[in-house]
């Protein structure tokens, strides 16, 4: 197992998001006994080799966002303000964009300071500030396991999380309809160890504003996992209930797959081929087909679908999902792999095996 720092986000979400900060799980490295597949079949389809996989995102950024982020890094806070203004009340996209901007501010917040000076009570600046402080806390802790993390690192981590609580409360007060500050606080709940009752209170605030919010559900599921503040049963029950109650196209069918992945310690792929798991994957395929195809979180679902379709030997369907995300690997299950090189290599090995299997079936 590995413990990885997100930056993501989660971001993730995915990512960006806190995902890289979360504890990993055992991956089924050897589910294909034949070993590494020949990459020729994948390359013949125009799929990219490991060295050309983007390890920062789960999928391509929406049109114009890359240029906006570049402008922000160069110090243009108005580009950040325009991005959030244009997103408006699309809460899923707002939290996603806030994660991207918060990550930039955690590295260098001079542009954010200028924004805050020019517009002291701007709720958009406030919510970016809160997210950046949470991300900075994770950076101060570091990516190593607890036994390899110093007391000084933990002290800085907890100090920054406590500071973020004030910033989260301010952002929430400035924009009472916005669930994003409360979504950000789930990371604080993980780091500071909120009791279940406090997490329930936080969840009530979120769902009152956005009942089917993707990032909120992803992060809440992490809270209910055994590795954090819950158990396999609590996580699975939460995931199944949320997926069952969500409208088609919300992407929340990914939750039972994540709950399974987070608690699966088996090196036997048979647990991934049960009727229940096949049904979960089929539900995910229908969800992905019904979703807004520009949804920034859709690639995260597609990555897990590709992985489990491959484990289920449904290689043609797996390859279809791989085609749609190829070139980007910052998503489960690859995210828990370790280094950026290992993430890309693992992704390509699973993808290449499906491509080779499809090629062999075609030849037959």
């Amino acid at each position: 197992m590995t413990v990885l720092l997100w930056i993501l986000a989660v971001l993730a979400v995915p990512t960006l998001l806190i995902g890289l900060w979360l504890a990993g799980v055992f991956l089924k490295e050897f589910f294909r006994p034949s070993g590494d597949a020949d990459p020729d079949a994948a390359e013949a389809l125009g799929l990219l080799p490991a060295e050309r996989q983007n390890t920062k995102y789960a999928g391509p950024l929406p049109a114009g966002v890359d240029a906006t982020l570049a402008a922000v890094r160069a110090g243009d806070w108005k580009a950040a303000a325009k991005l959030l203004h244009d997103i408006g009340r699309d809460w899923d996209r707002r939290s996603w964009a806030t994660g991207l901007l918060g990550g930039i501010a955690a590295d260098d917040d001079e542009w954010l300071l200028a924004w805050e000076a020019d517009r002291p009570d701007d709720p958009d600046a406030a919510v970016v500030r809160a997210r950046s402080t949470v991300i900075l806390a994770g950076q101060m802790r570091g990516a190593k396991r607890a036994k390899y993390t110093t007391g000084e690192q933990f002290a800085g981590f907890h100090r920054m999380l406590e500071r973020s609580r004030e910033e989260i409360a301010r952002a929430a007060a400035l924009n009472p309809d916005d669930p994003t500050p409360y979504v950000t606080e789930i990371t604080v709940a993980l780091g500071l160890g909120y009791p279940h009752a406090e997490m329930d209170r936080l969840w009530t605030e979120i769902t009152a504003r956005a009942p089917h919010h993707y990032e909120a559900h992803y992060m809440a599921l992490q809270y209910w996992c055994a590795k954090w503040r819950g158990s396999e049963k609590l996580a699975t029950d939460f995931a199944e209930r949320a997926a069952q109650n969500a409208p088609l196209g919300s992407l929340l069918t990914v939750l039972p797959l994540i709950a399974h992945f987070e608690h699966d310690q088996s090196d036997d792929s048979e647990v991934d081929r049960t009727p229940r798991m096949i049904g979960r994957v089929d539900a995910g395929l229908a969800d992905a087909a019904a979703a807004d195809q520009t949804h920034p979180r859709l690639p995260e679902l597609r990555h897990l679908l590709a992985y489990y379709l491959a484990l289920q030997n449904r290689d043609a369907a797996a390859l279809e999902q791989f085609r749609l995300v190829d070139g980007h690997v910052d998503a489960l299950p690859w995210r828990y792999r370790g280094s950026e090189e290992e993430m890309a290599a693992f992704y390509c090995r699973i993808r290449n095996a499906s491509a080779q299997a499809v090629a062999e079936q075609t030849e037959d």
Side-chain angles (χ1 to χ4, degrees):
M1 294 187 185
T2 59
V3 177
L4 303 174
L5 174 64
W6 170 48
I7 78 33
L8 316 349
V10 204
L11 105 164
V13 249
T15 218
L16 308 135
L17 306 178
I18 200 84
L20 294 179
W21 178 28
L22 304 177
V25 294
F26 186 83
L27 297 174
K28 296 180 174 65
E29 279 193 66
F30 305 107
F31 81 97
R32 291 189 186 273
S34 58
D36 287 350
D38 189 330
D40 288 350
E43 292 179 9
L45 296 171
L47 302 177
L48 300 177
E51 61 271 17
R52 294 182 60 190
Q53 298 294 327
N54 182 306
T55 58
K56 304 300 183 185
Y57 304 112
L61 293 174
V65 172
D66 200 20
T68 294
L69 298 182
V72 174
R73 291 189 187 96
D76 183 4
W77 65 265
K78 291 183 179 179
K82 184 178 187 304
L83 176 63
L84 291 181
H85 176 270
D86 290 348
I87 287 172
R89 294 173 63 88
D90 185 331
W91 303 130
D92 270 313
R93 281 181 170 81
R94 180 174 173 82
S95 68
W96 167 80
T98 299
L100 294 176
L101 295 171
I104 296 173
D107 293 332
D108 182 356
D109 70 345
E110 186 173 349
W111 60 273
L112 182 53
L113 289 168
W115 186 0
E116 292 167 328
D118 192 80
R119 301 178 184 176
D121 293 322
D122 189 333
D124 292 348
V127 78
V128 172
R129 172 60 69 189
R131 180 65 71 96
S132 72
T133 300
V134 169
I135 294 171
L136 185 58
Q139 292 175 346
M140 293 179 72
R141 183 205 181 278
K144 295 182 179 179
R145 297 185 184 187
K147 65 180 179 180
Y148 301 117
T149 303
T150 68
E152 183 179 359
Q153 286 174 302
F154 273 121
F157 172 65
H158 290 128
R159 183 174 64 253
M160 294 302 289
L161 288 182
E162 289 290 355
R163 190 178 103 181
S164 75
R165 298 181 74 177
E166 298 178 7
E167 297 170 350
I168 288 167
R170 180 171 182 270
L174 288 171
N175 190 355
D177 291 342
D178 185 10
T180 312
Y182 301 100
V183 176
T184 299
E185 192 177 353
I186 299 178
T187 303
V188 182
L190 290 170
L192 296 183
Y194 281 18
H196 290 183
E198 184 67 8
M199 180 62 189
D200 289 340
R201 178 203 62 78
L202 179 57
W203 192 241
T204 298
E205 297 285 359
I206 293 169
T207 54
R209 293 164 173 81
H212 308 298
H213 192 286
Y214 179 93
E215 185 184 345
H217 280 83
Y218 174 85
M219 293 305 301
L221 176 56
Q222 295 296 327
Y223 175 92
W224 293 114
C225 282
K227 67 184 180 183
W228 283 103
R229 308 300 171 186
S231 65
E232 181 174 0
K233 183 179 188 308
L234 287 172
T236 301
D237 288 350
F238 172 84
E240 295 282 7
R241 185 168 58 250
Q244 182 178 6
N245 294 333
L248 197 63
S250 67
L251 309 181
L252 296 188
T253 54
V254 75
L255 297 174
L257 295 176
I258 295 173
H260 172 81
F261 177 79
E262 292 285 2
H263 297 93
D264 178 18
Q265 300 294 312
S266 170
D267 59 357
D268 183 355
S269 297
E270 288 305 313
V271 300
D272 307 302
R273 298 171 182 156
T274 64
R276 187 181 191 189
M277 278 300 292
I278 290 171
R280 286 170 171 171
V281 172
D282 287 344
L285 289 169
D287 201 10
D292 177 353
Q293 298 303 293
T294 67
H295 196 299
R297 303 290 189 177
L298 178 56
E300 297 176 32
L301 172 57
R302 293 199 186 281
H303 278 282
L304 267 181
L305 289 174
Y307 177 64
Y308 281 113
L309 286 164
L311 288 175
Q312 293 170 2
N313 295 327
R314 300 162 71 182
D315 293 295
L319 190 56
E320 182 178 348
Q321 298 301 315
F322 278 123
R323 286 176 184 266
L324 293 168
V325 297
D326 195 62
H328 301 81
V329 296
D330 185 25
L332 295 180
W334 336 113
R335 179 184 290 159
Y336 283 175
R337 183 61 183 162
S339 70
E340 294 182 353
E341 293 78 9
E342 290 171 323
M343 285 167 56
F346 184 58
Y347 164 85
C348 285
R349 192 168 65 78
I350 304 301
R351 181 205 64 189
N352 293 350
S354 283
Q356 182 173 313
V358 170
E360 291 171 352
Q361 292 167 7
T362 301
E363 291 173 1
D364 293 342

